[in-house]
Amino acid sequence: MSKADKTEARKKNVPKAPAKKTPPKPAPAIARKAAAKVTRTAETPKQPAKAAKAVKTAKKPAKPAQAVKPAKPAKRPGRSSQAAKPVSHEPQMLRSASGPASELLAFPEPAARPGGRSGKYVYCIIQTGEPRRFGPVGIGSEPAEVHTVNYKEIAAVVSDTPLEVYDPTRENVLAHERVNEVVMRDFTVIPMSFSTVFKTSEDIVELLRSAYDAFRDVLVKMQDKLEFGLKVLWEPETIIREIEKDDENLRLLRQEISHQKGSTYFARMQYGRLVDSLLQERSEKLVSEIVNTLSTVSVASRTNKPIGDKMILNGAFLVARDREPDFDAKVKEIDARYENLIFKYTGPWPPYNFVNIRLKLERASEAE
């Protein structure tokens, strides 16, 4: 074999080198960035609304972002650093949640004291020509000293307080009621709404001056009278069984439903309407009997809307102070008479449901 032939044979026996693989082309930079952005968004918690605004702005070229001022914290609901005050120029009024409104009394505003941070919390109005003190029983973490701000023959019962509106927590509401209970031992009171705060004693005097005749009139009418609350409840199922014993139609209809084959839909609808009608009739009858019985030992009564399905009477009774034992005895007598009724009897209270003065409250900002 010639040298050329040997060389050719060697070439044939040498294995071919594997073909080089071409690496895939990288994705465009824009696509890579977009994919990274999607992944990051999925893993990162959602940012607040203001962060979204910053992202939008970042798409624009190149101004450094300005620092965002932190938002002022929202004020707590039911609370503000405002106080009640009388008003200048246009007549305004102070609001009291003493009862239904029968008239609105206007009064002008005296000059407000600038920058004051303490005020006067008003609990009630009484009839007295002399300054009075009732001790440290007022609202606040440390019970405030309670005293009067006087004008002629009437006075507001007040205590010093920070210039704020109080939250109606159980502790605060009980403190408000405690003062009224202490004052009621010796005086007839016109109760003021919870968290009625004035900036100065001069503002309170202006209120007393402007509403003097109305306050005097109510104090005379409410003289030596107290309010008692009476709520009457029942168990509807128990009363329905009682009604079925007395009403033959209802009893027969119930028996028909229990023995009827097939659909009882219309019979049950008829039964339900009849039960509702008889319950309403029984409720009105019982309420009328109770109110009429208590009217013999009370000056006046007021029925408010019942609360819930079980309450049939939500009543308030105005009772002369010297008839309080008689009223107590009547309530006990009625309670013993109606075995299937539940009586909730409270008091004495200030005459919230029988005072017909309502005053509109204006808010004065602390900056004034």
Side-chain angles (χ1 to χ4, degrees):
M1 184 179 292
S2 66
K3 189 175 181 180
D5 292 336
K6 288 180 181 179
T7 304
E8 186 64 28
R10 280 199 302 270
K11 284 181 181 178
K12 286 181 182 177
N13 292 331
V14 175
K16 292 182 180 180
K20 290 184 180 180
K21 291 184 180 179
T22 305
K25 290 183 180 181
I30 295 174
R32 284 201 306 273
K33 287 180 181 177
K37 184 175 181 182
V38 171
T39 305
R40 199 161 50 239
T41 305
E43 294 173 356
T44 307
K46 190 173 182 181
Q47 298 298 316
K50 285 191 176 180
K53 186 174 179 183
V55 171
K56 244 183 211 180
T57 311
K59 291 181 181 179
K60 295 182 181 179
K63 287 185 182 178
Q66 293 181 354
V68 179
K69 293 182 180 178
K72 292 183 180 178
K75 291 185 179 179
R76 294 176 60 186
R79 201 176 172 91
S80 68
S81 55
Q82 295 179 334
K85 69 167 187 179
V87 176
S88 61
H89 308 303
E90 297 181 3
Q92 300 285 340
M93 293 145 275
L94 176 80
R95 181 184 179 189
S96 167
S98 311
S102 68
E103 57 182 323
L104 292 174
L105 301 170
F107 54 92
E109 176 196 12
R113 180 183 300 170
R117 298 188 63 85
S118 64
K120 299 287 185 182
Y121 188 106
V122 183
Y123 301 92
C124 58
I125 308 297
I126 63 174
Q127 184 169 352
T128 179
E130 300 294 329
R132 299 277 181 166
R133 291 192 171 274
F134 299 95
V137 293
I139 197 167
S141 55
E142 295 183 5
E145 187 74 29
V146 176
H147 58 279
T148 58
V149 173
N150 293 67
Y151 175 78
K152 292 187 177 179
E153 299 301 316
I154 63 175
V157 177
V158 309
S159 64
D160 294 334
T161 182
L163 197 58
E164 63 181 17
V165 177
Y166 284 86
D167 288 329
T169 62
R170 183 175 185 274
E171 182 182 2
N172 287 339
V173 172
L174 288 177
H176 178 96
E177 291 298 338
R178 180 176 63 239
V179 173
N180 282 331
E181 289 173 11
V182 169
V183 177
M184 280 171 55
R185 295 170 189 167
D186 301 309
F187 295 93
T188 298
V189 306
I190 299 175
M192 299 294 283
S193 60
F194 174 81
S195 194
T196 299
V197 179
F198 283 78
K199 294 182 77 173
T200 66
S201 296
E202 290 78 10
D203 291 343
I204 297 173
V205 169
E206 184 61 21
L207 167 66
L208 297 176
R209 186 196 65 76
S210 300
Y212 182 79
D213 291 339
F215 284 142
R216 278 295 304 273
D217 181 59
V218 171
L219 286 167
V220 169
K221 290 177 180 177
M222 295 295 111
Q223 183 69 37
D224 291 326
K225 296 179 180 68
L226 306 169
E227 179 177 316
F228 291 88
L230 183 65
K231 293 178 173 62
V232 181
L233 303 92
W234 66 12
E235 289 294 339
E237 292 301 323
T238 303
I239 305 302
I240 289 170
R241 287 196 294 271
E242 281 187 4
I243 293 173
E244 284 180 347
K245 293 177 185 177
D246 301 332
D247 191 281
E248 186 177 359
N249 291 333
L250 186 64
R251 188 168 60 253
L252 292 174
L253 186 56
R254 186 182 182 91
Q255 291 172 359
E256 179 185 335
I257 292 170
S258 61
H259 294 95
Q260 185 174 338
K261 294 180 180 179
S263 175
T264 60
Y265 174 77
F266 292 106
R268 285 186 287 108
M269 288 289 289
Q270 184 181 356
Y271 176 83
R273 285 194 293 266
L274 185 56
V275 165
D276 289 343
S277 173
L278 292 173
L279 282 174
Q280 181 67 25
E281 183 180 325
R282 176 68 65 93
S283 169
E284 291 174 354
K285 179 174 180 290
L286 289 171
V287 168
S288 178
E289 289 175 359
I290 292 168
V291 171
N292 288 339
T293 301
L294 293 176
S295 67
T296 61
V297 287
S298 61
V299 177
S301 64
R302 178 189 174 96
T303 54
N304 299 310
K305 185 178 179 180
I307 304 166
D309 297 332
K310 296 183 177 182
M311 187 180 295
I312 63 172
L313 174 63
N314 183 10
F317 296 84
L318 190 66
V319 179
R321 194 183 292 269
D322 59 359
R323 298 298 303 275
E324 182 179 347
D326 299 331
F327 188 82
D328 287 342
K330 278 292 180 187
V331 171
K332 291 176 183 176
E333 176 188 319
I334 295 171
D335 186 22
R337 187 190 310 168
Y338 300 102
E339 295 181 358
N340 290 326
L341 299 182
I342 302 165
F343 288 78
K344 294 187 175 181
Y345 173 41
T346 61
W349 303 104
Y352 289 110
N353 284 279
F354 302 96
V355 173
N356 293 321
I357 296 177
R358 187 173 185 176
L359 305 169
K360 182 180 176 183
L361 181 66
E362 186 210 356
R363 302 294 181 188
S365 67
E366 189 177 0
E368 289 181 353

